[in-house]
Amino acid sequence: MSRTLRTFRTLRERRGRRGRIRARAVALATVFATGVGALALTPQPASAASDYTGDPVLYWNDVLLGAIRTAGGTPGPISRAAAEMNAAIYDAESSYQLRWHTMTSDPYLQAVDYAAWAEGPGEEERIIGRTAYNILLKLFPGQTTYLDNKFKERFGTSPTDFDLLDATVVNKVVTTMWNFRTADGSEDQTAYTPDGRPGAWLPTSYPDLPDPACSQGSQAAIPAWGKVKPWALTSGSQFRPSTPGQYASYENLLASPAYAEQVRQVRDLGGAGSTTRTTDQTAAAWFWANDANGTYKPPGQLLDITARVSRDRGLTAYQNARLFALVSVAMADAAIAEWDVKYQTPIDLWRPVSAIREGLRDTTWQPLSGTTPCFPAWASGHSAFGAAWAGIMRQYFKTDGITFTASTDDPKSPVKNRTFTSFSQAAREEADSRVWLGVHYPWDASDGLTLGENVATWVFTHKMKSVGS
């Protein structure tokens, strides 16, 4: 047999194998279609009404911020929701990159190796969007109409329309992520019993500062959150700092000159009628607050800033998926580590309003904030979130010196935007703002910053690493 004939026969056999593969693919697609009422045999492209304007990762993070504004709540569960959505998006995007042999960093849990015949128009958009939608629907089941509308706004189709990518990759990513976080301790609703000693946290509702949500000790927010399974840390106590000022008891703490100085600073700088706090410090205090329901809360503000930096730097969807997953995981672990400090250490420190009114008997002093978050002071959650965010951003971009403009959701903020020349500058101001708002002591801020920085470094060096690093 001539070489030409052998070559022809080889090519014909290869074509035959490809034909059989295509036939099996069509048959499998038919099975999927039959299971959903014969809606389609192949992946369904978005209709003419689809609008893929802008990066899909940024789009779905904006959808998340809308859900947070409606849901409200404490920072721990909010940071958990962000981590769950963004880690799932990243694994979905990693699956897409694996399919095209362009994956350059490790997935968070897994990259699904799905078949080539599952491709179609808008493949990357569909994988990211359908993953984000399904995770958000599980996290915020009461917001189905909002989420459906945001899906239709992006794709021009209903989220219930058949898409073969659901069966080949999306459902696997969503199910794996959901099962990974099931029974992680986040549902623990054990009520808190205050220590009942001078210096220990107590409810911060007063007749002239009424707060029905913080009038009883049992209302202290998420006291078991420090026991939630971390996303990257080995435990919530991995980077636990020593007690405030290294004092091991309430008695020694309250008797120390260091404590007296801490109270003096927040009394002078954080009071509603302070003459020491500058106009710019007042503006910063409200700019970083975002404590009220209806705002995107502290984790949401940092996600919004991440999106702004991303747009300025022109990141791709793959780069954004990894960046937002790293930031979200770091903030979720910062929340767990912070709440370990607040409730699982020997001192559950009372808030400045209690220290001043109960300890100093200054019953007229009011914090600038008016009300105070309903959990112990030490250490500051805002500070830990800010440092965790800044640490990831600095390591991701390989520099701290990036200028950016941040925004706020807080309705009491006299300014909408503030500009910073580095990530650490923003984190430092966010930490200090809690003293200027009158809800934290200086050591709450500094210890929170250290904790958040440690979390960021651990996350960046242990999760979603660049291939070969």
Side-chain angles (χ1 to χ4, degrees), residues 190-195 201-204 212-223 343 374-376:
T190 303
Y192 178 70
T193 301
D195 290 348
W201 182 86
L202 69 161
T204 54
C214 199
S215 60
Q216 302 177 37
S218 60
Q219 292 175 309
I222 53 173
Y343 289 106
C374 198
F375 39 79

Side-chain angles (χ1 to χ4, degrees), residues 316-366:
T316 66
Y318 188 23
Q319 291 169 331
N320 273 328
R322 179 169 176 256
L323 174 60
F324 275 81
L326 284 166
V327 164
S328 298
V329 165
M331 289 197 296
D333 270 1
I336 295 169
E338 260 300 324
W339 261 252
D340 168 82
V341 174
K342 288 181 180 296
Y343 289 106
Q344 306 302 322
T345 53
I347 294 178
D348 300 349
L349 187 62
W350 59 12
R351 289 281 179 168
V353 66
S354 301
I356 295 168
R357 291 193 169 209
E358 307 295 334
L360 301 182
R361 302 299 179 186
D362 181 353
T363 58
T364 63
W365 186 87
Q366 296 185 8

Side-chain angles (χ1 to χ4, degrees), residues 242-249 253 347 443:
S242 59
T243 50
Q246 299 184 357
Y247 295 99
S249 70
L253 174 68
I347 294 178
W443 57 25

Side-chain angles (χ1 to χ4, degrees), residues 237-258:
S237 62
Q238 182 177 349
F239 295 113
R240 180 190 289 176
S242 59
T243 50
Q246 299 184 357
Y247 295 99
S249 70
Y250 291 112
E251 293 79 8
N252 290 340
L253 174 68
L254 267 58
S256 70

